[in-house]
Amino acid sequence: MNKMVSVPFMLMGILFVVCLIVSNLLEAKIIQLGPITATAGLLVFPVSYIINDCISEVWGYKKARLIIWSGFAMNFIVVGVAQLAVILPSAPFWEGGDSFNFVFGMTPRIVVASLCAFLVGSFLNAYVMSKMKVSSGGRNFSLRAIVSTLVGESADSLIFFPIAFGGIIPEDKLLVMIGTQAVLKSVYEIIVLPVTIRVVRYVKKIDGSDAYDAGVSFNPFKISDL
C-alpha cells in the first residue's frame, strides 16, 4: 500500500491538530448560552470529528489512526511547553501572570481527562465510520457520519467531564453538561453535514481515493501499519 500522503490529506491533518489544540485551550472557560451550560471548546472541537469522518471516509481507518495519534502527540507537546511556561518566573514588570497561569496552567486532571477522552472518542468515531462503510457498501454517508459522531462525542463527554470536573461541579449539573455537550456536538455535525458531503466528494475526486477497510486491523496501537 502507498504510504505517501496527498496535499488534501496533509491539510486536513493540520486542521485536525489545530482544532484539537485550540479546543483544549478553550476548555478552561465554561460558557452560558441561555439555558445551556457548556465549555467554550464546543465552538471548535466538533470540527475535529467532522475532519475525522472525512479522513476515515476517503483514506480509511489506517490514515485516521495516524492523524489521531499525531493530534495526541501535538497536544501533549503543547501541554508540556505550556506547563514549563507557567513554571518559569514572570518578569517583574509584567502584570499578566495570574491570567496567563489561569489559561495555560491546566491541572493534571484536566490534561488526563482531555487526552483520554480525545483518544477514546476519536478512535470510536473512526471505527464506527469505517465498519458502517464496509457493511453498507459505501452508501448512506450522512447516516454514518451522524452515528459515528454521536458515538464518539458521547464517549468523549462521558470520559472528560467526570474526570475533569467530578467533585467540583454538582452531579446534577455535571450530568446535564455531559448530555448537552454530546447532543450539541452531534447537532453541529448535522448542521454542517451538507458542507461535509461536498468536501468529501470533492476530495475523493481530486485525490482519487475511496478506501474500504475490509480486513484492516482496528487495533488503535498498531500505528506502524499505515
Side-chain angles (χ1 to χ4, degrees):
M1 181 177 288
N2 183 11
K3 294 187 178 182
M4 299 296 290
V5 297
S6 63
V7 172
F9 176 79
M10 180 185 69
L11 293 177
M12 281 197 177
I14 293 171
L15 182 58
F16 180 82
V17 173
V18 169
C19 287
L20 292 176
I21 293 173
V22 172
S23 66
N24 262 357
L25 296 177
L26 297 181
E27 289 292 341
K29 181 174 182 178
I30 298 178
I31 59 176
Q32 186 77 37
L33 300 173
I36 299 174
T37 301
T39 59
L42 178 65
L43 299 174
V44 67
F45 187 69
V47 178
S48 67
Y49 275 79
I50 295 170
I51 298 172
N52 192 333
D53 286 342
C54 292
I55 292 175
S56 299
E57 174 69 16
V58 178
W59 294 285
Y61 181 84
K62 290 183 179 181
K63 289 295 191 290
R65 178 169 53 203
L66 171 64
I67 290 300
I68 291 169
W69 279 114
S70 297
F72 177 86
M74 296 305 104
N75 260 321
F76 192 83
I77 291 172
V78 169
V79 168
V81 174
Q83 299 315 299
L84 177 60
V86 169
I87 293 171
L88 292 174
S90 302
F93 57 83
W94 189 55
E95 299 179 354
D98 291 340
S99 298
F100 182 91
N101 293 344
F102 178 80
V103 174
F104 292 99
M106 293 180 287
T107 61
R109 65 185 295 180
I110 295 290
V111 174
V112 171
S114 178
L115 295 178
C116 289
F118 158 69
L119 282 179
V120 174
S122 295
F123 275 117
L124 277 176
N125 182 81
Y127 174 80
V128 172
M129 188 74 180
S130 178
K131 295 292 284 186
M132 288 185 69
K133 181 177 183 178
V134 173
S135 63
S136 67
R139 298 183 297 274
N140 304 319
F141 172 76
S142 298
L143 177 63
R144 290 187 281 115
I146 293 171
V147 171
S148 63
T149 297
L150 183 59
V151 171
E153 295 285 16
S154 297
D156 184 282
S157 296
L158 284 170
I159 293 172
F160 176 77
F161 284 101
I163 297 177
F165 299 113
I168 299 174
I169 297 177
E171 290 185 6
D172 57 335
K173 292 187 180 298
L174 196 61
L175 290 174
V176 171
M177 288 182 69
I178 291 173
T180 300
Q181 290 273 107
V183 171
L184 288 180
K185 289 174 181 176
S186 299
V187 170
Y188 195 126
E189 165 89 40
I190 295 172
I191 292 174
V192 302
L193 190 56
V195 176
T196 306
I197 292 172
R198 286 169 173 77
V199 169
V200 167
R201 286 176 180 171
Y202 178 73
V203 173
K204 283 183 178 180
K205 181 179 179 180
I206 65 173
D207 195 81
S209 181
D210 188 8
Y212 285 79
D213 291 322
V216 168
S217 171
F218 290 97
N219 180 354
F221 299 102
K222 202 173 182 180
I223 56 178
S224 61
D225 182 14
L226 299 179

